[in-house]
Amino acid sequence: MSGPASDAERALYERQGLGRAVGFGERPALLVVDFINAFADPERFGGGNIAGAIASTRPLLEAARSAGLPIAFTRVVYADDGSDAGVFTRKAPGLLDLTEESEGSQVVPELAPRPGEHVIRKTQPSAFFGTDLAPWLLGRGVDTLLVTGATTSGCVRASVVDAMSYNLRTIVVRDCVGDRALGPHEANLFDMEQKYADLAGAAEAIACMRGGVRGGTR
């Protein structure tokens, strides 16, 4: 087998009509999922290709700013007293250390949000669950969501599925998402492209931003 699926498995997906491209729409926004200090640190929740994904996101973020796109960031933030802890923190107890003022919960300095960019606090994997992200995007007429962040198999995937469920054209910027393990990273990129999103490289996404944000993603 080469990559997350064999040729025969890929052929099955194709015969079933999966993996069609949706392309860019008219009004995109950028979502940066959980690129916070704790996820940049291999001793906490980082590792794998996350550092490289953060580096690749810098020029994409600058291009989005230059194009005047709506930009949203997510942070994992729990109450100091743990009163909002749930099942997610039973699976990963270290998440409870990510409180409002903790260093680990802050967006990494190289991607620091600017005034006017929306910073969302969340306690669940999806950027949409229990947050105001959907009305914030829809209120700005957004029809296309470019997704970056960590981890590909976790909070990125959960956010992508919800974005598609809100009928947003969803584009995962493949070199701007990362995971602590490359196997889940590659498998989830493959699966998201087949069912929930298009994939685009950072250079392609930047070119689409600069060129009026139309066209496909292949």
Side-chain angles (χ1 to χ4, degrees):
M1 181 181 293
S2 176
S6 68
D7 290 343
E9 288 167 336
R10 289 178 181 275
L12 176 63
Y13 278 79
E14 186 174 352
R15 287 199 306 273
Q16 293 180 353
L18 298 171
R20 305 286 179 89
V22 298
F24 285 85
E26 301 292 328
R27 180 63 175 163
L30 176 64
L31 175 64
V32 182
V33 178
D34 294 354
F35 271 157
I36 58 177
N37 290 320
F39 281 85
D41 182 357
E43 298 303 316
R44 288 181 280 184
F45 292 107
N49 63 341
I50 293 175
I54 291 172
S56 294
T57 300
R58 291 185 66 182
L60 182 73
L61 177 59
E62 291 306 314
R65 287 168 170 162
S66 296
L69 270 58
I71 298 169
F73 298 80
T74 68
R75 297 172 52 204
V76 179
V77 178
Y78 285 91
D80 290 344
D81 61 2
S83 57
D84 52 0
V87 173
F88 194 24
T89 60
R90 289 182 177 270
K91 295 296 292 183
L95 292 172
L96 287 172
D97 294 334
L98 302 178
T99 59
E100 179 62 39
E101 300 300 326
S102 70
E103 176 270 344
S105 177
Q106 310 305 313
V107 176
V108 294
E110 55 266 48
L111 303 177
R114 294 179 180 176
E117 297 172 352
H118 193 29
V119 180
I120 294 164
R121 280 81 171 165
K122 68 185 184 71
T123 59
Q124 302 297 335
S126 173
F128 290 88
F129 190 91
T131 76
D132 68 348
L133 179 57
W136 186 83
L137 293 170
L138 297 174
R140 285 156 179 76
V142 169
D143 65 1
T144 303
L145 190 62
L146 299 165
V147 181
T148 73
T151 62
T152 313
S153 61
C155 295
V156 168
R157 182 192 174 94
S159 301
V160 164
V161 172
D162 280 354
M164 182 276 298
S165 299
Y166 279 105
N167 283 323
L168 292 166
R169 295 170 182 255
T170 307
I171 315 294
V172 177
V173 188
R174 65 167 69 87
D175 29 0
C176 297
V177 294
D179 211 314
R180 62 184 64 87
L182 297 185
H185 169 76
E186 294 293 342
N188 279 274
L189 285 179
F190 172 80
D191 196 57
M192 286 189 288
E193 184 178 31
Q194 297 304 313
K195 294 183 287 189
Y196 309 117
D198 288 357
L199 302 185
E204 183 182 3
I206 290 170
C208 286
M209 290 179 193
R210 292 173 176 168
V213 199
R214 289 186 176 87
T217 58
R218 301 282 180 118

